[in-house]
Amino acid sequence: MRLLVIEDEKRLAGALKRGLEAEGFAVDVALDGQQGDWLAAENRYDAIVMDIMVPKLNGYQLCARLRERGDWSPILMLTAKDGEYDEAEALDTGADDYLSKPFSYVVLLARIRALLRRGRMRRPAVLTCGDLILDPATRRCTRGRVEIDLTGREFAVLEYMMRRPGEVVTKSDILDHVWDFGFDGDPNVVEVHMSALRRKIDRPFAINSIETLRGSGYRLIDGDA
Amino acid sequence: MPSRRARVMGSVRLRTTLAATVIVAVALCIGSAILISRFRASLDHNRRSAAVVRAADIAALAGGGRLPPVLGLPTQDATYAQVIDSSGQVVAASANIAGQAPLGPPAPPRSTVEVKRIARSPLDQDSRQMLVVLPAGTAARPLTVFTGYSLVTSDFAVRDVTLGLLIGLPLLLLVVAGTSWMIIGRALRPIETIRAEASEITSLGLHRRLPEPPGDDEIARLAATMNHMLARLEAAHDQQKDFVADASHELRSPLASLRAQLEVGLAGGSATDWETTVVGALAEEARLEVMVRDLLLLARLDQTPRTHDRIDPVIDLIDITRTDLAARPIRAGIAVAADLCGGAVVRMPKELARRLVGNLVDNASRHASHHVSVTVATRDGWVALTVQDDGPGVAPADRGRVFERFTRLDDARAFEEGGAGLGLAIVKDIVTRHGGTVAFVDCAVGARVEVRLPLADGTQPVPGASEMAASHTR
């Protein structure tokens, strides 16, 4: 497994490299954001450990840049800041985990192992399907440049479908994942929300992105195609 | 929090209203008493003059020997008259007391007019009764004239006026109290609004401001002043928060590095290169030590009073600089030149002066390519300490910022031992707290920082020189 460590504290970076190599990882070290960006572009790392406060290109910017160009390497952010908003911002920019300094080396190792289990799967912080964009962090939905106002339930149904683009999802899948155990109502409630969603995200744009597959369920497709 | 009732009882509104009402009530009572007594005196006086004039008329008739047996009097008044001779025999009387006994003994001869109060009248009236006694007649036949009158009408008039005042005054007081209550309430309402808003503002909501009433009265000015105070509090609070955040960030970094190095070393077991680990750990420890020392010094400087409240020892900046340069380990490849002219005495504790010179030389030698020059000179009542290097210099836009705490310019961060960005902040604190100025000034190559401190040889510094230096700071 090959790791990239982006950290401007030379001795800390050196210690991490020694320690992680002793655990059997291959470790590259970058001392600033630009170098890290370059290394990440040249190699496919299995996980990246980065400090947020590094010179030239900070952790937030680097993380956003990596995700933008489709690099889904798991990212663990390190920071000496201890604000809860810093942590939330790091995770919402696309980082997978967060550790504040000073950290325990044992915990760092365990978290890196957990990140490696996740793999380089696509797991965007902001969901897109064609020009439909859904941001679960800010709870905003837009198509093109038009902001779409969704109710909480509509948002949840759409988010569930956008996480499975092109897949067939059944009515009971949606019921199971969007409604809680206590829901004992008519399964037709899904149809009601589906037609509300179509009215908001498709019809005003003359697009048909939610397909109904009679007898099996729904499929979200890139409506332009 | 006091109960609502207690608040109303203790309120300025109630107290002012009460005071106004009491003052008006006392004034009105005194005024009314004076009015009534004057009114009564004036009525009494009128009646008395009328009775005396009437007595004199009768006396004139008697003196002329034309005294009728029945004295004619205006009947509507409750008056009466009688004339007696020296033996007490009634000579004449008004019709309403005809046949009654004499009203008194004969007046002694050559006495003047006398007005006296009598217990009861011959007309059986209850009111106050007065009697005028006037000697008359001739020396051969002395007579005494009595005219009597009652004060019943003036008593009635006084009673009516008193009754009117008794009803009118409380009504007037009610109006006064009500109006005061309303006017004072209206005047105090903005204050209550300001108070309510101010009690909502806590250390968490310092961004909020009080409502400022329109106009430029005392209350508007109070609100404006309090808002300025809030702005200053907010600025101080934000600065404090930033400082704590920066300090914790700068303290966590070396701690994280220290812990990681030690834990990696432990995890490696026998394969660990312990010497590298310990050298690395010691380097972090040194960083922490410097930072703790700097933070403590800054905290102490924050508590030191400004120059004029304090007397510092006089020291020679030349000595300090010379000792510092001799003892300082300088980076390899850097040459430090010194140009020190004597007599540069300033008031400052020795250890602060050492930190001042040390931090400036450290900073310069960290950024210099080859040369650092240190100059100490005196002119115009100021001591000028100039440190120049031949490094990349400081951009004019950053020249104010570098003196703030925890400012590390990006290229400075790239240096191995960049420090925590406290060195120049300490320099600035020390200098300003001793009446001086510090600024980066323009120069052809590298950075040139100039410190000016008042010369401590008893002469007054020339103000212009200080302003010249200060203008660079802006």
Side-chain angles (χ1 to χ4, degrees):
Chain A
M1 290 284 162
R2 191 161 178 193
L3 305 181
L4 173 61
V5 173
I6 306 171
E7 169 60 73
D8 64 331
E9 302 259 343
K10 278 186 193 159
R11 283 185 298 269
L12 176 57
L16 287 179
K17 184 175 164 73
R18 281 199 306 279
L20 292 171
E21 277 174 349
E23 296 289 324
F25 295 109
V27 181
D28 292 335
V29 170
L31 292 173
D32 63 55
Q34 254 170 30
Q35 202 187 348
D37 187 31
W38 182 77
L39 279 173
E42 293 296 304
N43 307 285
R44 288 166 61 86
Y45 289 100
D46 296 294
I48 299 175
V49 177
M50 63 166 85
D51 189 351
I52 295 181
M53 296 285 284
V54 284
K56 293 182 184 164
L57 195 63
N58 72 34
Y60 300 127
Q61 296 164 330
L62 180 52
C63 184
R65 194 180 279 196
L66 291 178
R67 294 307 188 224
E68 214 167 89
R69 65 172 182 239
D71 187 335
W72 297 105
S73 304
I75 293 176
L76 171 66
M77 293 250 198
L78 295 178
T79 180
K81 289 185 174 183
D82 62 348
E84 48 195 356
Y85 290 102
D86 295 314
E87 185 166 347
E89 190 180 349
L91 295 175
D92 283 338
T93 341
D96 297 275
D97 206 349
Y98 181 101
L99 260 185
S100 58
K101 289 179 176 180
F103 52 83
S104 152
Y105 178 60
V106 177
V107 171
L108 177 73
L109 279 181
R111 293 203 179 200
I112 289 176
R113 284 195 297 270
L115 285 182
L116 291 173
R117 286 199 292 275
R118 292 188 201 177
R120 296 171 54 97
M121 197 183 83
R122 227 181 92 83
R123 25 178 218 303
V126 176
L127 305 167
T128 56
C129 181
D131 60 351
L132 184 66
I133 297 171
L134 192 76
D135 185 349
T138 57
R139 300 203 70 77
R140 284 175 61 195
C141 174
T142 52
R143 180 170 304 270
R145 285 189 180 162
V146 184
E147 184 115 356
I148 299 171
D149 195 22
L150 296 179
T151 66
R153 207 61 98 175
E154 287 160 6
F155 195 96
V157 171
L158 185 58
E159 182 180 350
Y160 182 76
M161 291 180 49
M162 283 186 81
R163 289 198 185 279
R164 288 152 191 81
E167 282 177 37
V168 177
V169 290
T170 66
K171 233 186 256 183
S172 67
D173 280 341
I174 296 177
L175 270 181
D176 284 350
H177 288 271
V178 176
W179 276 266
D180 58 37
F181 187 70
F183 180 74
D184 196 18
D186 190 340
N188 285 330
V189 72
V190 175
E191 280 170 35
V192 174
H193 281 96
M194 218 45 93
S195 66
L197 273 176
R198 282 200 176 107
R199 203 164 54 238
K200 286 183 180 175
I201 66 170
D202 282 353
R203 214 164 299 160
F205 307 93
I207 288 173
N208 191 13
S209 64
I210 303 178
E211 284 183 338
T212 308
L213 302 159
R214 199 153 288 283
S216 47
Y218 303 94
R219 183 161 60 189
L220 185 68
I221 52 164
D222 186 346
D224 298 330
Chain B
M1 190 130 196
S3 72
R4 191 181 154 71
R5 188 184 153 78
R7 280 218 315 269
V8 168
M9 293 310 287
S11 77
V12 172
R13 189 182 190 183
L14 185 79
R15 276 182 281 140
T16 315
T17 305
L18 278 180
T21 314
V22 166
I23 289 170
V24 172
V26 168
L28 284 177
C29 285
I30 293 173
S32 305
I34 292 173
L35 171 76
I36 290 171
S37 83
R38 283 287 171 84
F39 183 56
R40 182 196 293 270
S42 154
L43 286 176
D44 286 3
H45 180 76
N46 289 345
R47 302 283 296 162
R48 174 196 163 116
S49 325
V52 169
V53 166
R54 196 166 298 128
D57 287 347
I58 295 170
L61 287 176
R66 289 199 296 271
L67 195 66
V70 175
L71 298 171
L73 284 176
T75 49
Q76 70 269 35
D77 285 356
T79 56
Y80 47 90
Q82 192 180 53
V83 180
I84 57 168
D85 62 15
S86 53
S87 66
Q89 283 293 306
V90 175
V91 180
S94 56
N96 51 1
I97 56 164
Q100 290 210 18
L103 293 168
R110 282 187 298 278
S111 60
T112 51
V113 63
E114 184 193 0
V115 181
K116 58 180 182 187
R117 186 156 181 181
I118 51 172
R120 55 176 299 286
S121 82
L123 296 176
D124 281 338
Q125 285 169 332
D126 287 341
S127 56
R128 286 185 291 144
Q129 298 296 322
M130 303 301 286
L131 189 67
V132 179
V133 183
L134 181 70
T138 58
R141 189 172 178 242
L143 296 172
T144 302
V145 178
F146 295 110
T147 50
Y149 63 96
S150 148
L151 288 175
V152 65
T153 48
S154 64
D155 281 352
F156 277 141
V158 166
R159 203 190 61 195
D160 286 351
V161 170
T162 310
L163 201 65
L165 286 174
L166 279 180
I167 296 169
L169 284 193
L171 285 178
L172 187 61
L173 283 181
L174 270 182
V175 171
V176 167
T179 320
S180 313
W181 181 257
M182 260 167 48
I183 291 175
I184 297 163
R186 187 164 303 169
L188 289 180
R189 196 174 305 141
I191 292 192
E192 176 57 24
T193 321
I194 291 172
R195 188 205 62 78
E197 185 72 19
S199 75
E200 301 264 305
I201 297 177
T202 61
S203 60
L204 291 177
L206 282 177
H207 59 280
R208 287 171 60 174
R209 291 291 176 270
L210 301 171
E212 285 187 33
D216 186 35
D217 56 3
E218 291 87 341
I219 292 166
R221 289 203 300 275
L222 169 74
T225 307
M226 285 182 75
N227 278 343
H228 288 148
M229 188 184 73
L230 278 173
R232 286 197 303 274
L233 274 179
E234 187 186 8
H237 185 255
D238 288 351
Q239 207 184 347
Q240 182 76 9
K241 235 169 52 186
D242 290 350
F243 179 73
V244 170
D246 288 340
S248 77
H249 180 266
E250 294 299 332
L251 286 169
R252 275 158 198 265
S253 299
L255 278 177
S257 182
L258 182 60
R259 181 169 178 179
Q261 289 177 61
L262 295 176
E263 286 187 342
V264 166
L266 270 184
S270 57
T272 301
D273 174 3
W274 282 109
E275 199 176 331
T276 314
T277 308
V278 170
V279 168
L282 276 177
E284 302 300 346
E285 190 279 335
R287 243 175 101 189
L288 279 170
E289 204 178 295
V290 168
M291 201 175 309
V292 168
R293 187 195 63 191
D294 285 356
L295 282 173
L296 287 178
L297 178 61
L298 276 174
R300 223 174 59 218
L301 282 171
D302 280 346
Q303 286 174 355
T304 319
R306 299 268 162 187
T307 329
H308 43 82
D309 298 331
R310 187 190 60 207
I311 298 206
D312 286 322
V314 174
I315 51 149
D316 191 341
L317 209 54
I318 303 260
D319 286 347
I320 302 282
T321 312
R322 195 170 286 141
T323 327
D324 182 88
L325 292 181
R328 182 159 299 275
I330 298 289
R331 252 175 64 204
I334 305 283
V336 178
D339 176 9
L340 315 170
C341 316
V345 283
V346 293
R347 282 192 179 277
M348 187 183 284
K350 208 167 205 165
E351 98 187 74
L352 289 187
R354 279 200 202 112
R355 288 301 297 276
L356 170 63
V357 174
N359 283 5
L360 286 173
V361 174
D362 262 355
N363 193 61
S365 53
R366 213 161 35 223
H367 295 94
S369 325
H370 303 291
H371 299 288
V372 172
S373 77
V374 182
T375 318
V376 177
T378 57
R379 65 173 174 274
D380 302 334
W382 295 88
V383 174
L385 163 67
T386 314
V387 180
Q388 160 122 36
D389 64 57
D390 57 353
V394 181
D398 291 328
R399 284 180 184 175
R401 209 158 64 84
V402 290
F403 288 107
E404 287 168 20
R405 295 171 185 190
F406 294 115
T407 303
R408 272 198 286 170
L409 301 180
D410 222 22
D411 54 338
R413 293 172 62 96
F415 279 91
E416 173 62 10
E417 295 301 335
L422 289 176
L424 287 178
I426 289 177
V427 166
K428 172 145 198 176
D429 257 35
I430 293 178
V431 171
T432 52
R433 266 163 211 286
H434 292 83
T437 57
V438 57
F440 276 94
V441 294
D442 293 321
C443 61
V445 179
R448 179 189 179 91
V449 63
E450 196 170 275
V451 171
R452 278 163 177 274
L453 287 163
L455 190 61
D457 64 352
T459 56
Q460 280 296 312
V462 177
S466 155
E467 276 157 25
M468 201 184 75
S471 68
H472 293 299
T473 329
R474 276 178 224 127

